[in-house]
Amino acid sequence: MTSWTELPRATFDLETTGIDPTQARIVTASLVLVEPDGQVVRAGEWLADPGIEIPEQAEAVHGISTEYARAHGTDAKQVVFELASALGGLFHDGVPVIAFNAAYDFSVLHHELLRYDYPPLRCFPVLDPYVMNKQVHKFKKGKRTLEVLSGDYGISLENAHTSKADAIAAERLLTAMVEQYPELDAPATELHEKQVEWAAAQAADFQAYLNRQGKNEVIDGSWPIRAS
């Protein structure tokens, strides 16, 4: 089977109203199609009116205010439909979709689909630089945000926390990681299945750490969608 690095792939990112994927609403979304050599072929971008107030904390991250989203955004139900349709078409064609911390973005979309009574999306295959980096570089010190890892691998990330810039940076990051960790140069379907296992194991390790600290927080290791 052919490695994902030799095939077209897409890369995906959301900016939202909050950090809880069961409650967060989509504000902006980007879905970018990339050739094997990294050339951007096509980019879809959405600005949604999420239908709720955008908290100040979220606006401070991505720069979109409630007033701006209401004035310029498309109805959220339409955005969710268009985005899920575009992603569904890619998955149907076997095109892998890269998403940094995919369990957040795809979980937000999953709950948005439920909110508007749309059918669920089968997200396969997905490639997540965050899960992969935790697997291949287990003892890295410091944070593993997209900005930090991009810096570690020499990836330019201008306009961080805009969905298109973050989506493209995620693809560039994963490509750079393959150069250092050739085990990631594999078919997307195989990597997807491995990431399911890796994410579960990573969550279990973190859960054990919290338990040793006497904390009661429950860590969900489901990937790439957390249904609750």
Side-chain angles (χ1 to χ4, degrees):
M1 296 177 65
T2 306
S3 170
W4 69 270
T5 60
E6 300 177 47
L7 299 170
R9 58 262 189 183
T11 184
F12 165 60
D13 186 73
L14 298 176
E15 297 299 330
T16 70
T17 60
I19 60 175
D20 181 351
T22 68
Q23 301 299 319
R25 309 295 180 91
I26 294 170
V27 178
T28 66
S30 290
L31 182 59
V32 182
L33 186 63
V34 179
E35 291 281 20
D37 64 0
Q39 180 180 350
V40 173
V41 179
R42 187 167 65 249
E45 296 184 75
W46 292 265
L47 169 64
D49 174 1
I52 64 172
E53 295 282 330
I54 298 174
E56 290 182 1
Q57 301 95 316
E59 180 186 344
V61 172
H62 52 62
I64 306 296
S65 67
T66 301
E67 294 72 23
Y68 186 87
R70 286 176 177 169
H72 302 283
T74 301
D75 180 73
K77 185 176 182 178
Q78 181 66 25
V79 169
V80 170
F81 174 81
E82 292 179 5
L83 179 59
S85 296
L87 282 164
L90 291 168
F91 287 132
H92 179 269
D93 291 339
V95 177
V97 177
I98 298 166
F100 187 87
N101 194 15
Y104 175 78
D105 294 78
F106 282 110
S107 296
V108 170
L109 180 57
H110 172 79
H111 289 283
E112 287 275 48
L113 289 167
L114 290 176
R115 192 167 287 122
Y116 297 112
D117 295 319
Y118 291 136
L121 182 66
R122 181 176 182 268
C123 302
F124 180 90
V126 173
L127 302 173
D128 186 342
Y130 176 71
V131 169
M132 292 191 204
N133 189 265
K134 290 178 73 175
Q135 181 67 25
V136 298
H137 195 177
K138 293 182 179 180
F139 303 108
K140 169 184 161 53
K141 295 182 179 179
K143 296 181 179 180
R144 292 184 200 262
T145 63
L146 179 59
E147 289 176 272
V148 168
L149 290 179
S150 294
D152 290 347
Y153 285 86
I155 305 302
S156 175
L157 177 53
E158 298 180 4
N159 301 315
H161 300 297
T162 59
S163 54
K164 184 178 180 181
D166 285 1
I168 292 174
E171 190 276 336
R172 304 292 190 248
L173 170 62
L174 187 54
T175 300
M177 285 171 53
V178 169
E179 296 179 6
Q180 187 166 345
Y181 301 101
E183 61 265 41
L184 302 179
D185 194 2
T189 52
E190 291 183 9
L191 284 172
H192 182 107
E193 299 297 348
K194 288 180 178 179
Q195 288 169 103
V196 172
E197 298 174 0
W198 294 344
Q202 291 162 10
D205 286 346
F206 189 41
Q207 184 74 72
Y209 167 78
L210 292 178
N211 290 345
R212 291 194 298 271
Q213 302 298 313
K215 298 179 181 179
N216 296 321
E217 184 179 355
V218 176
I219 305 301
D220 185 352
S222 304
W223 182 94
I225 292 175
R226 294 173 185 158
S228 60

